[in-house]
Each structure stands twice: as C-alpha cells, then as structure tokens.
C-alpha cells in the first residue's frame, strides 16, 4: 500500500458512506417532520414550550442534568420504562422536532425525565428536591442545587414563594429561602416535560402496545 | 548536532546497525524537539487536571454533598470538564506528539518551521482551556463529546488544521519511498477528525438538524472520535513501537492491510449503537449493531498480527517499560473491542444501555488501551528528544502498576456494577416475566441508587490509585527535564537489565 492517493480516496469513501447512510439519508427521511394539528382542539402537537421553560432548558443544559437523566422512553417490553411509570408510550422522533437541542441522554443515574411534568406536578416538590434532594428522596445521590436559591431577610410579609423547609433545614428566624429566577425557569421547564399526546400516524405504525401488564402499575 | 551515540546504546538492535541511519534519525528527532516537548508538557498537565476533575466527579456520585455548594463544580459540569480535559487535553496532545514524531521518523523528513507548529499547539491548548473554563462557568452545549462552547471550537479547528498540514507536508516531502502501516493510520486519522468534527459542529450547533437527527449526528461523531481519531493513533503507535522495541518486523503485511481497511469501513457505522432503543429509525440502529459486530474482523485480525509479532519475545516485557505499556494497551484493545461488539446487541443493551457498564467500556477503551499505549510511546520518545535517560526505574514501575491495576479494577467494578444496575432497573419487567403480582416493583429506584453505592466507592478508590500512577509519571518527567545531561554514554532505563545488556552497560 504505497500509494497515498489510494489511501486518501479509500479513507474518504469510507466515511462518506457512513455519513450518507446514517446522517444524510435520515435527514432526508425525517429531517422535515412537522407538528400534527389535532382537529378536535386545533392545536399543533408537540406543543411549543413557553419562553420561561426555554430559559429553564438552558439552565438544565448548563448544569449538565442530562449526564444523569435521559429524556427518552423505551418501548413497552424493552426495558421497564413503562412499568416504572416513566411514560405511557415510547418516545418517537416527532416528540423532539420543536427542540433546538435534543437532550436524549445516555445515562440513568437518576430516572428518565421525559414525562416528569406529568408525573410530578407539584412545583413545591421540585423546589424542595432541587434545594436538597434528601428532603424528598432520602438516599438519592443527586447533588444539592442550593445555589439556585437565595437566602434573604424577610422584609415585611414573607414571600409566598419561600420554601417551607423542615426545622433541620430552615434558616434562622427572620430569614427565608426563595428560588432564584434560574430555579423558577428550571422548574417551569421540568413541568413542561410531558409527551402525553398520541399521534395518530405513529399510533398505527410505531407504538408498541403495553402487553403483559394491563391493570398494573401505570 | 548531537551524535547518535546515545541511540546506539538503545535496546533496539534494528537501528544500532548503521551509524549513518542513526545520525539521520537523531537529526530528525532533534528537529521535532520543541513542538514535541510542548505537546508532552501540555498532555501531562491535562492528564493531571483531568484526573482531579474525575476524582471530584467520582466522589460526588457516592457523596453528593461533597463540594455541593460550588456551582462551578456541580456534577454535571465537573464530569464534563473531566471528559473534555482528558479527550481534547491529554489524549489529543499525546496524539499530536506521537503523530509529529512518528511522521518525521517514518517519512525520513526534518520538521521545518517548528515554531509555527508550536503556535498551532498553543492555539489548541488555549482553545481547550477556554472551552473547559466555559463548561465550568455554565456555557456547556450539553451535547456529549461536543460540550466545548461554540466560541472556542473555531480555534480548535484552525489549530488542528495547521497540525494536520504539518504532518502531511512532512509525509509529502520525506525521503522514505515506503508508507509504513503506522502512516496509513495517522494520515487517515488526520483526514477523518476535522471532517467529523466540522460536520458535527455544523449539524448540532451552528445549523442544528431537526429532532433526533441531531442525536444521530452526535453519536456518529462521538463514536468516531474514538474509532477514527484515537484508535488509529493508538494502533499506529502499537504498529511502530512493538516491532521497534523487539527488533523484528511485524508479523504480516497482509493482515495489517486487512485490519486497516476493515476498520475504516466498519467503525464509522457503529456509533448508532448508542441510540439502541431510542427514538431513531430501527433500521439505522440495526445497521449500527451490524457494523459493531463486523468490527470483530479488524479487531481479531489486528490482535492476531500483534500477538504473532510478540510471540517468542514475551520475556522482553520484564525489561522494557515501553513494551510493557504498549502490550498492556494492545491486549486491552482486543478485549474492549470484542466486549464492545457484544454490548451493541439489543438483548445486552436492554440491560446495560443506560448504566455504569458504558462508563466502564469508555475507560477500558480510552484508558486501558489508548492512554497506556501513549504512556509507552512517551517512555520511548522522550529519551530520544532530550538525549538523556529516565531518572527512575522505580517510578516507572509505580506508574505502570498503579495505572494498570487501577484501570482494571475500575473497568471490572463498573462492568459488573453496571450490569447489576441494569438488571435492577429492569426488575418490574422481570417481575412480570416471572409471574409475580402485576405491578410489583421489587426494587424501587432509590434502592437501585443504594445498591450502586459500593460500586461507586470502589471506583473512587481505583481512581485514587490511577492518580498515584499519574503523579509518579509526572515526577519522573519533570525530574528528567530538569536533570543535567550526563557526560558519558548512558544505557536506557529498564525495569531490570536483561542478561545481554550487562555487557553493554559495563
């Protein structure tokens, strides 16, 4: 193998082949998927998320939440995602088309969050959990995100947003712990995470019915 | 110009035969000295920084409150800083060192304008530094392996292009009529990396593809960083240093050719196995799995080739530090790749996909294979750049045993731990299969977390061991840089002197 041009040509075609196969062909096949307009409520699914939730997604990205939390539900029968209550159906490509950045994740040190907004609807729970995960999930190895909260002196009335902490965590009298704007955006984002809509097309072609466990755990 | 006397004392019988050839090699080595030393020192700095980040991240996994108030060191950031420091800092700088040094030698070409290459190297490291600072202060892109924020990546790209051009120029204007197998790998890698890097940057950050096509781009890139950048450089080093130290040719030319082209064809399809079970078309997942299995061909072929070269010379492992690191790496290349092929299978991935099993595999490949090979290469290269020998064989020994044992413990613990984690995560399904009461979940999520603790603690301990190895290495390198060159001819530093060396060393 003493001819450099041959080497370069071979190296070029090898990668060109996979680029065409993996990326280009899929870009052509489903790179232009569009939202589905539901005739009954005249909304386009997946629904767009609010500006504040978008801000929250940036917080999610900058703190690196995706290194422990996936955002993809595997089909019923493959793994136990449905049985753990992480989603009623599997995630499909259309769920992600509005996302500027797709955060599928590859690690489940913590649970999947694709439907956390449907599963854990309490804002207060999320604040406490972020402030110190031990408050809501004793034994968790999620780090505390207390730096997303502000300790401040109560001036006049206490803030309605102030965390209701158990005595061991509560600040001294006259002080309160309130979420910063970043914490508020992050929780708004988390609450926006829910793929509850059933796309008619995917329901016919892709969805796998939950088989073994009809009356079981959601 | 330094004469080749130092080299003549080398363990290597192949070069010690002709004085002229030696003088030329010596001159070539000297021409690479400035940039090569720069890459070495940068690589060394990054591996220490990267290991410290790794230890912090590792402690946090079992003691989440550790440094919990420091936002810039929160797990998601420090883990990412670790990855980027070792990939773009340590591994890439070590690769540049090996590339320019090997390329100059194999092409029989002097390195011209070393200062310009040095500038490129400085740019690269400034880019990585800005990138990691950006990650720690919250500008990470959160795209795995591409986290460096977009304000630093153009710098990396330009610096890389400059270094690639230098290597190609050396190749083009060299005096060697042959292209050795190491050069195939290096040339191909230099061509592949900028391609995949620029495509990935464009399609995920500058003009992101819609939906999960992004994820395909992401894993096409992230797997190819290993397959088309680090693996070729690692293999190029094995192909060079193994026969060099042993003083005999590689077993089979044809196996080398087959190994190279099958790697080129199959490796770059394999990345999709990171998305098995995910929201991307099933056919492309299957293609990724098929390619991963096909990777058995280059891996087995290369493994046989190296093994057949090594056969009859295993005794040399007792003496030569370079050989010991290189062989350890080469063996782990075969192991990690074979395991990796099977990890891609749907049945296996169902259990291990989102677990520490993957982390074990990543460290098996990038550490036990690639990093160990780079250590071996550095043990060979540095004495020839500085014309002096390693100051302490004992430190080399500590380095080898700490990193070898540390990395194997880590891989073992996380492989088993990840499998355990995956089985526990799937228990509701197992319960169904076993016909337990519907909806039973024998192992709730927090119980999985609790069970994983012991594996994570063990991983931290193995990490400390590895860090000790790195410290020994760093001390040895700095000591070597600072110690005066000995006036008389010195013998290479070996773990112990082989019988035939006793004559030479008086």
């Amino acid at each position: 193998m003493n001819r450099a041009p041959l080497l370069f040509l071979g190296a070029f075609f090898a990668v060109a082949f996979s680029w065409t196969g993996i990326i280009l062909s899929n870009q052509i096949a489903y790179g232009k998927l569009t939202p589905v307009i539901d005739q009954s409520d005249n909304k386009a699914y997946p629904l767009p998320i609010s500006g504040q939730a978008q801000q929250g997604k940036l917080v999610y990205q900058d703190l690196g939440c995706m290194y422990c939390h996936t955002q993809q539900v595997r089909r019923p029968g493959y793994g136990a995602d449905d049985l753990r209550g992480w989603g009623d159906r599997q995630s499909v490509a259309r769920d992600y088309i509005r996302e500027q950045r797709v955060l599928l994740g590859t690690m489940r040190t913590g649970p999947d969050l694709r439907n956390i907004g449907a599963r854990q609807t309490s804002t207060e729970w999320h604040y406490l959990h972020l402030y110190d995960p031990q408050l809501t999930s004793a034994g968790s190895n999620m780090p505390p995100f207390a730096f997303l909260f502000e300790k401040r002196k109560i001036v006049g009335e206490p803030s309605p947003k102030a965390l209701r902490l158990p005595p061991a965590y509560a600040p001294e009298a006259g002080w309160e712990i309130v979420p910063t704007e970043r914490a508020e955006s992050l929780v708004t984002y988390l609450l926006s995470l829910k793929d509850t809509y059933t796309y008619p097309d995917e329901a016919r072609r892709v969805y796998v019915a939950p088989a073994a466990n009809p009356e079981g755990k959601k | 110009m330094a004469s080749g006397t130092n080299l003549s004392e080398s363990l290597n019988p192949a070069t010690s035969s002709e004085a002229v050839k030696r003088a030329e090699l010596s001159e070539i080595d000297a021409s690479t000295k400035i940039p090569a030393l720069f890459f070495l020192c940068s690589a060394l700095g990054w591996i220490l920084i990267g290991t410290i980040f790794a230890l912090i991240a590792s402690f946090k996994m079992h003691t989440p409150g550790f440094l919990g108030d420091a936002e810039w060191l929160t797990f998601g950031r420090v883990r990412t800083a670790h990855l980027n420091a070792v990939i773009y800092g340590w591994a890439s700088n070590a690769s540049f060192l090996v590339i320019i040094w090997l390329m100059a030698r194999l092409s029989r070409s002097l390195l011209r304008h070393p200062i310009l290459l040095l500038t490129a190297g400085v740019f690269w490291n400034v880019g990585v530094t800005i990138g990691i600072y950006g990650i720690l202060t919250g500008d990470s892109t959160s795209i795995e392996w591409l986290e460096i924020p977009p304000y630093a990546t153009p710098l990396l790209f330009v610096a890389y292009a400059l270094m690639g051009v230098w290597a190609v120029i050396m190749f083009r204007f060299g005096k060697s009529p042959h292209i050795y197998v190491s050069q195939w790998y290096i040339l191909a890698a230099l061509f592949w990396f900028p391609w995949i890097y620029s495509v990935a940057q464009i399609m995920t950050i500058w003009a992101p593809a819609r939906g999960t096509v992004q994820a395909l781009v992401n894993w096409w890139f992230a797997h190819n960083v290993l397959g088309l950048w680090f693996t070729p450089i690692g293999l190029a080093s094995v192909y060079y240093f193994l026969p060099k130290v042993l003083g005999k040719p590689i077993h089979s030319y044809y196996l080398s050719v087959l190994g190279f082209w099958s790697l080129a064809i199959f490796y770059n399809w394999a990345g999709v196995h990171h998305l098995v079970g995910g929201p991307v078309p099933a056919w492309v997942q299957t293609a990724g799995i098929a390619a991963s299995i096909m990777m058995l061909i280059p891996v087995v072929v290369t493994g046989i080739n190296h093994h057949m070269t090594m056969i009859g010379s295993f005794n040399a492992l007792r003496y030569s530090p370079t050989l010991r690191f290189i062989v350890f790496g080469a063996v782990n290349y075969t192991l990690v790749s074979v395991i990796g092929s099977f990890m891609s299978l749907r049945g296996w991935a169902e259990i291990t996909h989102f677990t520490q099993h993957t982390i074990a595999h990543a460290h098996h490949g990038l550490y036990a294979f690639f990093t160990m090979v780079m250590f071996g290469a550095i043990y060979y290269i540095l004495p020839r750049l500085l014309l002096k020998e390693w100051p302490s064989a004992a430190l080399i020994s500590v380095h080898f045993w700490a990193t070898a044992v540390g990395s194997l413990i880590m891989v073992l613990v996380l492989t088993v731990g990840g499998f355990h984690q995956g089985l526990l995560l799937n228990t509701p399904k197992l319960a169904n299969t076993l016909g337990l009461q519907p909806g039973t979940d024998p192992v709730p999520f927090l119980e999985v977390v609790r069970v994983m603790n012991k594996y994570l603690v063990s991983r931290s301990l193995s990490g400390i061991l590895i860090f000790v190895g790195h410290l020994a290495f760093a001390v040895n390198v700095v000591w070597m840089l600072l110690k005066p060159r000995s006036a008389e001819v010195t013998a290479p530093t070996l773990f112990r002197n082989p019988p035939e060396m006793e004559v030479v060393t008086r």
Side-chain angles (χ1 to χ4, degrees):
Chain A
M1 242 169 64
N2 267 332
R3 274 178 297 180
L6 185 75
L7 185 78
F8 273 106
L9 223 59
F12 174 80
F13 279 115
V15 179
F17 184 43
S18 75
W19 181 78
T20 313
I22 297 174
I23 297 176
L24 188 60
S25 71
N26 282 303
Q27 171 66 25
I28 293 167
Y30 76 102
K32 292 193 162 48
L33 267 185
T34 48
V36 171
I37 296 170
D38 189 318
Q39 302 301 336
S40 63
D41 60 4
N42 220 16
K43 282 182 181 164
Y45 290 93
L47 296 172
I49 59 173
S50 71
Q52 195 187 17
Q54 292 283 8
Q55 287 297 317
K57 186 175 180 185
L58 295 180
V59 178
Y60 188 94
Q61 286 172 207
D62 96 45
L63 294 173
C65 304
M66 60 96 72
Y67 297 99
C68 294
H69 296 283
T70 53
Q71 284 193 27
Q72 50 175 318
V73 180
R74 298 195 283 185
R75 68 173 186 274
Y78 189 68
D81 299 11
D82 56 333
L83 301 173
R84 285 203 174 273
W86 289 345
D88 292 334
R89 61 163 175 85
Q90 77 247 51
S91 300
V92 291
R94 206 185 298 270
D95 290 327
Y96 302 87
I97 56 175
R98 287 198 192 263
E99 300 182 11
Q100 170 80 10
R101 187 144 300 157
V102 176
L103 304 167
L104 293 182
T106 50
M107 188 69 186
R108 285 179 174 169
T109 302
D112 186 88
L113 296 183
R114 192 62 199 170
N115 291 293
I116 186 68
R119 183 160 84 234
Q120 198 52 267
T121 51
S122 150
T123 313
E124 167 126 34
W125 185 92
H126 280 290
Y127 283 138
L128 289 175
H129 183 242
L130 285 172
Y131 183 73
D132 188 341
Q134 308 304 329
L135 284 167
T136 55
S137 322
S140 163
N141 65 342
M142 175 166 141
F145 292 93
F147 50 77
L148 294 177
F149 296 80
E150 194 187 342
K151 182 178 163 185
R152 66 180 185 202
K153 210 174 177 112
I154 301 173
V155 183
E157 287 293 298
S159 163
K161 287 177 188 166
L163 297 189
R164 285 194 287 272
L165 293 162
Y169 286 83
E172 55 270 42
W175 292 74
E176 61 183 0
I177 308 277
V178 286
T180 60
E181 207 175 310
R182 292 172 75 208
E184 287 183 38
S185 318
L186 180 58
V187 170
T188 310
Y189 172 62
L190 291 173
L191 291 174
S192 80
L193 287 172
K194 47 189 166 197
D195 292 332
T196 42
Y197 185 74
T198 306
Y199 304 107
D201 192 32
E202 275 84 347
R204 264 185 290 113
R205 294 188 305 112
V206 194
Y207 291 164
V208 175
N213 187 21
E215 78 276 67
K217 185 173 165 181
K218 193 169 90 77
Chain B
M1 184 58 30
S3 76
T5 44
N6 184 287
L7 279 174
S8 70
E9 299 293 327
S10 140
L11 180 63
N12 182 348
T15 49
S16 57
S17 54
E18 299 166 45
V20 184
K21 222 172 157 186
R22 272 204 320 271
E24 186 194 345
L25 269 187
S26 188
E27 198 184 340
I28 289 172
D29 286 352
S31 76
T32 66
K33 184 174 175 180
I34 296 171
L37 283 180
F38 174 78
F39 288 127
L40 174 86
C41 295
S42 321
L44 184 66
W46 282 118
I47 201 174
L48 292 176
I49 295 172
T51 320
I52 291 171
F53 284 147
L55 287 176
I56 296 175
S58 183
F59 292 154
K60 278 170 177 272
M61 284 211 84
H62 49 76
T63 313
F66 177 68
L67 299 176
D69 293 332
E71 177 175 3
W72 63 287
L73 286 177
T74 191
F75 178 82
R77 289 186 188 174
V78 78
R79 171 227 183 267
T80 309
H82 155 64
L83 183 133
N84 284 278
V86 294
I87 295 307
Y88 298 104
W90 151 251
S92 292
N93 273 303
S95 297
F96 295 139
L97 163 70
V98 166
I99 286 171
I100 58 161
W101 191 82
L102 276 188
M103 211 51 177
R105 271 203 163 194
L106 288 169
S107 313
R108 291 174 58 202
S109 174
L110 289 180
L111 177 70
R112 310 270 175 207
H113 305 293
I115 300 303
L116 273 176
L117 184 59
L118 179 72
T119 315
V122 171
F123 273 141
W124 176 272
N125 283 288
V126 169
V128 178
T129 310
I130 296 176
I132 288 177
Y133 177 79
I135 289 167
L136 289 175
T137 49
D139 284 341
S140 159
T141 64
S142 263
I143 303 172
E144 286 189 68
W145 296 74
L146 290 164
E147 289 98 346
I148 291 187
Y151 48 73
T153 44
L155 201 56
L156 294 182
F157 189 82
V158 172
Y160 190 96
L162 262 174
M163 291 187 272
V165 165
W166 244 251
V168 172
I169 286 177
M170 279 197 283
F171 169 73
R172 176 69 185 77
F173 295 102
K175 280 185 285 188
S176 169
H178 304 292
I179 312 181
Y180 183 61
V181 47
S182 298
Q183 287 168 293
W184 313 338
Y185 280 109
I186 292 176
L187 287 170
L190 285 171
F191 177 63
W192 283 329
F193 182 78
W195 183 358
I196 57 171
Y197 193 63
S198 52
V199 168
Q201 289 288 339
I202 291 168
M203 294 192 74
T204 58
I205 293 168
W206 304 97
R210 187 178 298 180
T212 59
V213 176
Q214 253 181 53
L216 288 169
V217 179
N218 185 182
W219 288 108
W220 175 78
F221 169 78
H223 202 74
N224 281 346
V225 177
L226 299 172
L228 302 183
W229 170 225
F230 294 125
T231 301
I233 303 303
L235 290 181
S237 308
V238 178
Y239 270 113
Y240 182 82
F241 291 107
L242 200 59
K244 194 79 180 163
V245 175
L246 294 177
K248 59 185 186 188
I250 208 82
H251 171 67
S252 159
Y253 171 78
Y254 292 100
L255 287 183
S256 318
V257 176
L258 179 60
F260 175 79
W261 285 115
S262 49
L263 178 130
I265 291 169
F266 296 129
Y267 215 139
N268 56 80
W269 274 83
V272 199
H273 64 215
H274 287 272
L275 296 166
V276 165
V280 297
W283 74 266
V284 76
Q285 298 176 26
T286 306
I289 295 168
S292 308
I293 296 298
M294 293 303 277
M295 272 304 291
L296 287 172
I297 296 174
V299 167
V300 169
V301 162
T302 309
I304 291 175
N305 210 5
H306 292 160
H307 186 75
M308 295 305 282
T309 308
M310 196 57 205
I311 256 178
S313 307
F314 282 100
N315 204 31
L317 286 176
R318 297 177 58 214
Y319 313 118
S320 164
T322 297
L323 195 65
R324 203 184 274 183
F325 277 100
I326 297 267
V327 169
F328 182 91
V331 169
N332 277 298
Y333 172 64
T334 310
L335 284 178
V336 69
S337 308
V338 171
I339 296 172
S341 290
F342 290 103
M343 279 173 71
S344 72
L345 293 172
R346 282 192 169 86
W348 194 311
E350 180 181 5
I351 299 168
T352 62
H353 191 51
F354 296 117
T355 71
Q356 296 288 341
H357 203 77
T358 315
I359 313 299
H361 185 66
H363 287 85
H364 200 182
L366 254 166
Y367 199 92
F369 159 49
F370 182 79
T371 295
M372 293 300 264
V373 168
M374 289 299 110
F375 287 145
I378 291 170
Y379 278 116
Y380 190 90
I381 294 174
L382 202 53
R384 281 148 186 86
L385 288 177
L386 298 174
L387 304 176
K388 47 190 171 186
E389 285 305 330
W390 289 95
S392 164
L395 281 174
I396 304 180
S397 212
V398 171
H399 179 203
F400 177 77
W401 288 111
T403 50
V405 173
S407 61
L408 289 184
I409 292 178
M410 178 183 295
V411 169
L412 199 69
V413 161
L414 293 184
T415 300
V416 175
F419 207 76
H420 196 173
Q421 184 183 8
L423 285 174
L424 295 178
L425 284 173
N426 288 351
T427 43
K429 182 188 172 188
L430 297 178
N432 270 0
T433 318
L434 296 172
L436 298 181
Q437 201 180 352
T440 320
D441 181 0
V443 187
F445 198 91
L446 281 169
E447 176 63 13
V448 183
V449 172
R450 197 189 62 77
V451 171
M452 286 309 289
N453 192 61
K454 56 179 177 286
Y455 296 109
L456 297 173
V457 171
S458 315
R459 190 259 299 271
S460 286
L461 295 177
S462 70
I464 293 174
L465 194 55
I466 288 175
F467 188 57
V468 168
H470 292 166
L471 285 179
F473 177 55
V475 168
N476 222 0
V477 170
V478 173
W479 186 358
M480 181 166 178
L481 288 168
L482 299 180
K483 86 170 185 177
R485 191 172 299 159
S486 111
E488 74 235 48
V489 172
T490 49
T493 306
L494 304 174
F495 288 126
R496 56 178 71 75
N497 284 338
E500 66 270 21
M501 289 288 298
E502 299 293 346
V503 189
V504 185
T505 52
R506 294 180 293 273

